[in-house]
Amino acid sequence: MQYKSVFFDLDRTLWDFESNAMDTFIEMYDKHNLNVIFPDFDTFHKTYRGINKQLWEEYRNGNIEKEVLKYKRFELTIEEFGYQDETLAKKLGEDYVTLSANKTKLFPDTHSMLAYLKNKYNLHIITNGFHEVQFKKIKNCNLEQYFQKIITSEQAGTQKPHIDIFQFALKEANTGAEKSIMVGDDLEGDIKGAKSAGIDQVFFNPNHQSHQEACTYEIHALKELQQIL
């Protein structure tokens, strides 16, 4: 198979979402004196993660607007501990997207692998993240030099794993499914989604999670892409 285009997910594939988010939450916890509300940082973080996961599912299904999601996840988090403060929730919502976009931790070998691949393929990004936030992350991490097209779900009007975002991306990149491959960490969004559009897939699985999903390739480190592409 001779590929022409390689599509990448951004969060948890190139940009180290968990590490960057953790640094952001620690910064916010101190800045806003959240120790007054929560017994400890871990309680705040765990509560937020559970609520955020539920609300992102609502957002993916089109049941909640982006601007509401931004602050609602924090409003519900502090309400769990008896605090009702919409002003604080909105400050936390704005701080999170602003501060996290400035974090620059990437997975090992991100730059070297992208530099290697850029000489051989047309590289693009497909991401479900907020449009303006993802572009800031890419710029702050000096990743824009590698990619021809950066496709966000807001541009496409739908989110991974829906087939429409992949078809939109193929059209934007002026390429065909049979000449393309998708690299991502999410079995549902990236792997099943790409498969539904007839695109080969590389499952990026750095934590060696067990699964039953059939995929074209599986890697545990980005440098292993060199064995495939």
Side-chain angles (χ1 to χ4, degrees):
M1 172 63 70
Q2 184 55 53
Y3 301 112
K4 300 285 188 188
S5 299
V6 184
F7 292 89
F8 281 89
D9 174 46
L10 180 61
D11 292 342
R12 299 185 177 91
T13 299
L14 302 175
W15 194 76
D16 188 347
F17 183 93
E18 302 303 338
S19 296
N20 290 319
M22 181 62 78
D23 289 347
T24 303
F25 286 124
I26 290 169
E27 200 173 329
M28 289 166 58
Y29 191 80
D30 292 337
K31 178 181 175 181
H32 294 281
N33 298 313
L34 297 181
N35 58 309
V36 172
I37 299 174
F38 302 94
D40 52 52
F41 172 80
D42 288 342
T43 303
F44 159 62
H45 188 232
K46 186 177 178 182
T47 306
Y48 167 85
R49 280 171 67 101
I51 289 168
N52 183 55
K53 187 176 179 182
Q54 292 171 355
L55 288 182
W56 260 97
E57 194 62 37
E58 293 290 306
Y59 176 62
R60 267 195 290 270
N61 293 330
N63 298 327
I64 185 173
E65 295 294 321
K66 175 177 92 168
E67 292 307 318
V68 176
L69 167 63
K70 272 184 182 179
Y71 78 87
K72 198 72 179 175
R73 50 192 175 179
F74 290 102
E75 186 176 51
L76 294 176
T77 298
I78 61 177
E79 279 181 5
E80 285 281 310
F81 290 81
Y83 278 76
Q84 290 193 322
D85 191 337
E86 190 175 330
T87 302
L88 174 60
K90 287 186 173 176
K91 281 182 185 173
L92 291 169
E94 287 304 317
D95 258 13
Y96 177 70
V97 296
T98 302
L99 295 172
S100 64
N102 292 326
K103 306 301 181 193
T104 56
K105 288 181 180 173
L106 300 170
F107 279 95
D109 305 306
T110 293
H111 278 286
S112 60
M113 276 313 306
L114 291 175
Y116 162 78
L117 292 171
K118 187 186 176 186
N119 292 325
K120 301 176 71 178
Y121 304 95
N122 299 318
L123 305 185
H124 314 283
I125 282 177
I126 309 177
T127 173
N128 278 356
F130 297 153
H131 184 87
E132 69 280 8
V133 177
Q134 301 304 72
F135 272 85
K136 283 179 188 172
K137 290 176 185 175
I138 290 163
K139 189 175 191 312
N140 288 334
C141 293
N142 197 27
L143 293 177
E144 58 193 344
Q145 59 181 308
Y146 304 113
F147 297 102
Q148 294 183 13
K149 293 288 181 180
I150 296 163
I151 292 105
T152 67
S153 55
E154 288 178 71
Q155 280 176 296
T158 187
Q159 299 207 2
K160 296 181 289 185
H162 201 286
I163 190 172
D164 285 357
I165 191 172
F166 292 96
Q167 291 176 336
F168 178 89
L170 291 171
K171 188 175 179 183
E172 283 288 300
N174 192 28
T175 191
E178 73 285 353
K179 296 176 182 176
S180 304
I181 191 164
M182 175 77 199
V183 183
D185 71 290
D186 191 306
L187 285 169
E188 189 68 31
D190 300 315
I191 305 309
K192 283 187 178 180
K195 197 183 296 183
S196 73
I199 301 169
D200 282 357
Q201 326 88 42
V202 181
F203 176 41
F204 176 53
N205 186 13
N207 298 321
H208 296 260
Q209 74 177 84
S210 60
H211 65 93
Q212 303 301 317
E213 188 64 37
C215 47
T216 318
Y217 303 100
E218 180 170 336
I219 60 172
H220 303 111
L222 289 176
K223 63 184 177 183
E224 292 171 31
L225 282 171
Q226 205 160 345
Q227 299 163 20
I228 299 167
L229 298 169

